[in-house]
Structure formats: structure tokens, C-alpha cells
Amino acid sequence: MIFIVTALMIEAAPIIEHYKLKKDMTIHAYPVYKNSEITLIISGVGKVKSAMAAVYLLSNYKFTVKDILLNIGFCGSSSNKFELGSLLAAHKITDMDTGKDYYPDIFAGSNIPKVALCCYSKLLKKEALDTDKDIFCDMESAGIMEVSQKFTYAHQVIILKIISDFLKPENLNKDILQGYIKKNLTYIKQVIEELIQLNNNFDEFSLEEEEKLLNYISKNLRFTTAMKQLLFKEIKKAKIRGLEPLKVLEPFMKINVNSKLEGKNIFEQINEKFKKRLV
């Protein structure tokens, strides 16, 4: 099952129409639309509401390792690096109230730009920014990610955002916004299909052997916890795609280093080998 959370009907309507979803009249807590493969819920605006709606969905349906939790919605951007209506995938989400970071595994949508997303509790306007960095912001993603840590694996959740404005939210037009969603439905469908294929393979393998070898190598090469986590993500990605990550790791078993800098250099070599195999 594909579980989709949108904040607003304006985001949901093109998806409901495209997939011919029907409203579940037995549910009164939220607007919920379904077919045999997709269940969509409209949460309302804000990370608390999105989290509550996601919990409602995932606790009322049997969520398995083959299911997907997808948040689709609009985001603002502080720069014109991407044009309005561009579809983005978040590889990092920061809760701007707590400073907490979340890192979904992105194994699908290779042709979709990946960005760091800032989740605010209030609408952000350009004049309120105190940085020159490119900012992409929404109001729901942190709520989805917090729930996903309790119910899902990192590879089962994906945050897709469409740029609605350059931090000028007062100038939004409903028809134009729905047009942005419709324009990206083909890409959204591709992401869903890729995730279904990947997740169908997920429960068919164990990572015990790979994790044991990674722990051994990480100790010898003085990898930080973050470096080890990044490599484990690449191992998981390779295994899901039917590759053999042990063949990448084994040549590094007998290497020892004398400094963290040496370890970092070897980490980059291993990471690059994984990326080349996944292209």
C-alpha cells in the first residue's frame, strides 16, 4: 500500500483525480481517499497536524516493510536555482523549532533534484531571512519524519515537494498550484513504482554479514559514527538493487590507518566504489 499525506485539498485533488481515489465515507476524523493500492489523507497545515494524520493512517492500517509513506506538498524557496513548479526530493529535513535533523534514504527518483528542507511552524517570508544560503521550506515534513521513525524504515518514507513560490506566499494562485501538481504526476508515479519494486525485495535478504564486516572495517579505519551510517546506507541500497556489497568491502579488511585523515580518504574511496556500482 502507498500511504500519501498532503496538507491541503489543493495538493490532493490532482492525485485523487489521477488515481481515481474514492472518499472513504466511514472515516470522519480526516478526509481519506482510497483505491486498492493507495490511501491518501489530508492532514491540515503544520507538522503537528501532519504527524497526527500519519499516525492515524499507520495505526489504522497494517503497515508492512513493503509499504511506502509519501508526503507530497508545496514548499517555498529563497532562490531561483529551480523554477516555480519544480519537483524536489528531500535528503535531509531540519525541524527549525528543535534543530533536529532527519535523513530519509532516497533510493528512487534519480532524476529529481535532492535538497535539504527546513520545516518551519509558521510561513516564512523572504524579508524574514537572515541568511544568504538557498533555503527550501515547508511546514509538514518534520512531523512526517518524526512519525516515520516509529513506524517505518528510512527507505520507506520519501518527502516530495513542489516549489510554489519564492517566499512570497501571499501571491499564490489555486489554478497555477494545481497545474504544478498535475505537471509532476508522471515523475511522482515513477518514484512510487521504483519504491514498490525496491520494497518488494527488502524482506528477502539479511544485512547481518555486511553489518559485521562494516563494524570491523570502521574500527580499523577510524570511521566516525556518521561515516559508518552513510556507508551502511550505501550497503543497503546496493543490496536492495541486487548487488553484492561484500565485494566492495572485503578489499579493505586488512587495511589499518594511523590518523582520522587517512581513514577519511579511504572512506571516500569506498563510498565512490558504491556509487559507481549503483549508477
Side-chain angles (χ1 to χ4, degrees):
M1 179 68 74
I2 313 300
F3 296 95
I4 300 176
V5 180
T6 70
L8 301 168
M9 175 56 82
I10 194 173
E11 298 163 334
I15 302 170
I16 292 169
E17 180 181 359
H18 180 78
Y19 286 103
K20 297 180 172 56
L21 307 182
K22 301 296 183 184
K23 188 170 185 180
D24 189 334
M25 303 304 293
T26 66
I27 297 176
H28 305 291
Y30 293 95
V32 174
Y33 297 80
K34 299 168 54 180
N35 65 18
S36 60
E37 299 175 340
I38 294 173
T39 299
L40 180 149
I41 192 167
I42 301 173
S43 66
V45 175
K47 63 182 180 181
V48 173
K49 289 184 177 180
S50 69
M52 290 172 62
V55 168
Y56 182 87
L57 265 189
L58 302 185
S59 60
N60 282 279
Y61 295 85
K62 281 190 174 181
F63 194 85
T64 73
V65 294
K66 294 186 179 182
D67 294 328
I68 296 161
L69 176 61
L70 178 61
N71 174 224
I72 302 174
F74 292 116
C75 73
S77 171
S78 66
S79 77
N80 58 3
K81 181 178 180 180
F82 303 107
E83 64 182 19
L84 294 176
S86 295
L87 179 66
L88 310 172
H91 65 80
K92 174 184 176 183
I93 294 97
T94 301
D95 186 327
M96 300 305 289
D97 292 327
T98 66
K100 185 174 181 178
D101 293 326
Y102 304 89
Y103 298 92
D105 289 343
I106 304 180
F107 295 162
S110 59
N111 58 337
I112 300 173
K114 312 300 187 293
V115 300
L117 188 64
C118 299
C119 186
Y120 289 84
S121 54
K122 295 181 180 179
L123 281 174
L124 180 67
K125 296 187 178 182
K126 196 152 192 173
E127 54 267 26
L129 277 181
D130 57 358
T131 178
D132 294 328
K133 294 181 180 179
D134 291 346
I135 297 291
F136 301 93
C137 57
D138 84 322
M139 298 176 67
E140 286 76 41
S141 56
I144 299 294
M145 292 306 303
E146 184 66 23
V147 171
S148 75
Q149 292 188 331
K150 308 294 191 298
F151 285 87
T152 77
Y153 292 101
H155 71 276
Q156 290 180 276
V157 58
I158 187 164
I159 307 293
L160 296 178
K161 296 294 171 176
I162 295 171
I163 299 176
S164 60
D165 62 279
F166 295 127
L167 300 187
K168 297 288 183 181
E170 65 274 8
N171 298 326
L172 300 181
N173 177 281
K174 177 182 176 181
D175 293 333
I176 292 174
L177 292 178
Q178 289 204 333
Y180 292 157
I181 298 280
K182 291 176 182 177
K183 182 184 77 170
N184 285 293
L185 281 171
T186 299
Y187 301 110
I188 293 170
K189 183 179 179 181
Q190 287 175 356
V191 169
I192 289 174
E193 289 174 350
E194 287 178 38
L195 287 170
I196 289 172
Q197 185 176 359
L198 291 169
N199 286 1
N200 283 341
N201 297 329
F202 183 76
D203 59 354
E204 297 175 2
F205 61 80
S206 166
L207 291 171
E208 184 177 350
E209 196 173 352
E210 286 81 1
E211 188 172 15
K212 187 182 297 184
L213 182 53
L214 178 61
N215 288 337
Y216 178 82
I217 290 173
S218 297
K219 184 177 180 180
N220 287 347
L221 299 178
R222 302 191 182 188
F223 289 165
T224 65
T225 301
M227 292 160 71
K228 185 172 151 184
Q229 288 174 344
L230 285 170
L231 282 183
F232 190 67
K233 184 181 291 189
E234 294 300 322
I235 289 169
K236 186 192 297 183
K237 188 187 300 184
K239 198 71 178 282
I240 286 175
R241 293 188 176 178
L243 303 175
E244 298 182 45
L246 287 175
K247 289 186 177 180
V248 175
L249 296 174
E250 284 169 350
F252 298 91
M253 285 180 62
K254 297 180 180 180
I255 299 176
N256 288 281
V257 297
N258 296 314
S259 69
K260 286 187 177 181
L261 180 58
E262 288 182 53
K264 183 179 179 183
N265 290 335
I266 296 177
F267 163 80
E268 290 171 354
Q269 291 177 36
I270 299 174
N271 201 33
E272 186 62 27
K273 285 181 180 292
F274 274 116
K275 291 186 181 301
K276 283 181 179 179
R277 286 182 175 236
L278 293 172
V279 171

